Amino acid sequence: MDGTPEEITTLVGREVYSNNGVFVGEVEDVRLDLDHETVTGLALTALNDELFRNQIEPGKGVLIPYRWVRAVGDVILINDVIERLKNPEEDEESIVV
């Protein structure tokens, strides 16, 4: 890993959007693989009600695989969130937390 822990913690609080510009949620925590020193997932809260209304109970969050992340800047862009929500059985790694 070429970043410092300070860089990883800067992910917390960032807004997450799909690559189509749809707000998904806000990063509350980061999931790490300490053996390989990599980020493996992002725990999101403050979710978009329109996306998660019938799938997530109020007050709950989701854990998305970090491989969905396409860009990190002022916001985080991810791919395929709308399509994956329509077909959640295709990707077992998206988990309700």
Side-chain angles (χ1 to χ4, degrees), residues 3-32:
T4 65
E6 292 175 342
E7 291 174 354
I8 291 172
T9 60
T10 63
L11 295 173
V12 175
R14 292 199 187 177
E15 293 181 339
V16 177
Y17 290 85
S18 73
N19 57 346
N20 295 324
V22 176
F23 176 74
V24 178
E26 185 176 300
V27 178
E28 181 173 291
D29 205 355
V30 178
R31 183 178 190 192
L32 302 172

Side-chain angles (χ1 to χ4, degrees), residues 70-82:
R70 295 295 166 228
V72 176
D74 291 337
V75 297
I76 298 172
L77 296 179
I78 62 173
N79 273 345
D80 302 323
V81 71
I82 308 273

Side-chain angles (χ1 to χ4, degrees), residues 43-56:
L44 305 183
T45 59
L47 301 172
N48 180 333
D49 288 337
E50 291 182 26
L51 289 179
F52 296 100
R53 181 177 300 130
N54 296 323
Q55 298 180 11
I56 307 296

Side-chain angles (χ1 to χ4, degrees), residues 36-49:
H36 297 102
E37 297 183 355
T38 58
V39 176
T40 60
L42 299 175
L44 305 183
T45 59
L47 301 172
N48 180 333
D49 288 337

